[in-house]
Amino acid sequence: MRNTQVLMATLILWLLSGCGHNISLMARDSGETGVGHAPSGWGNSGEMTVVLKGHTYKGKWVYAAGGSFGLLNTYGANPTTGTVIGVSGSGIGNALLRSVSGKSLRCEFKYSEWTGTGLGVCQDGDGKLYDMQID
């Protein structure tokens, strides 16, 4: 039993220390793609890097966690008791990125803490829009 607990704890720590999130971008008008990465870490902000159209953009992302918590107890005529607990862990985020040459990339996204995934939209300094996926 002890070996199983040690193995499970090691597996959980390994999963939590993962490599971070992969970012995928696709232009809405041309299908042009870009890729990026945001390293794992604790908290609601961190660094992000995106490579798009031959430029490397770097900057900070910030995530504003939302969510809700609910609890429902029911008691019937029969001695039946039920408890339902619901928790939602999602929110919105923003990333402000710049290239060495001064080009900008601004992204807004929704993110789910439950799935570790998100969806959003980025806009470069020329006004071009890109759909964003976070996994």
Side-chain angles (χ1 to χ4, degrees):
M1 183 74 168
R2 175 80 175 135
N3 288 342
T4 304
Q5 291 172 336
V6 170
L7 180 61
M8 288 301 292
T10 303
L11 179 61
I12 290 170
L13 287 173
W14 178 74
L15 289 171
L16 289 175
S17 68
C19 298
H21 293 291
N22 294 313
I23 312 295
S24 299
L25 300 178
M26 180 179 280
R28 289 186 171 179
D29 62 351
S30 66
E32 184 174 26
T33 61
V35 295
H37 187 74
S40 289
W42 298 102
N44 293 333
S45 66
E47 297 299 314
M48 181 185 291
T49 301
V50 171
V51 178
L52 179 65
K53 297 192 298 186
H55 298 280
T56 300
Y57 297 86
K58 293 184 179 189
K60 185 175 182 179
W61 61 266
V62 175
Y63 167 69
S68 61
F69 174 82
L71 176 64
L72 172 66
N73 286 319
T74 59
Y75 301 93
N78 299 327
T80 305
T81 302
T83 301
V84 176
I85 298 175
V87 180
S88 171
S90 63
I92 59 170
N94 177 293
L96 304 175
L97 313 173
R98 277 202 151 317
S99 71
V100 175
S101 63
K103 293 188 174 289
S104 63
L105 185 66
R106 301 171 61 91
C107 303
E108 294 181 2
F109 57 90
K110 292 182 181 179
Y111 181 77
S112 168
E113 294 177 63
W114 287 100
T115 63
T117 60
L119 298 171
V121 175
C122 297
Q123 185 174 22
D124 66 16
D126 297 326
K128 191 168 187 173
L129 294 174
Y130 299 86
D131 287 319
M132 174 188 203
Q133 294 179 341
I134 304 167
D135 63 6

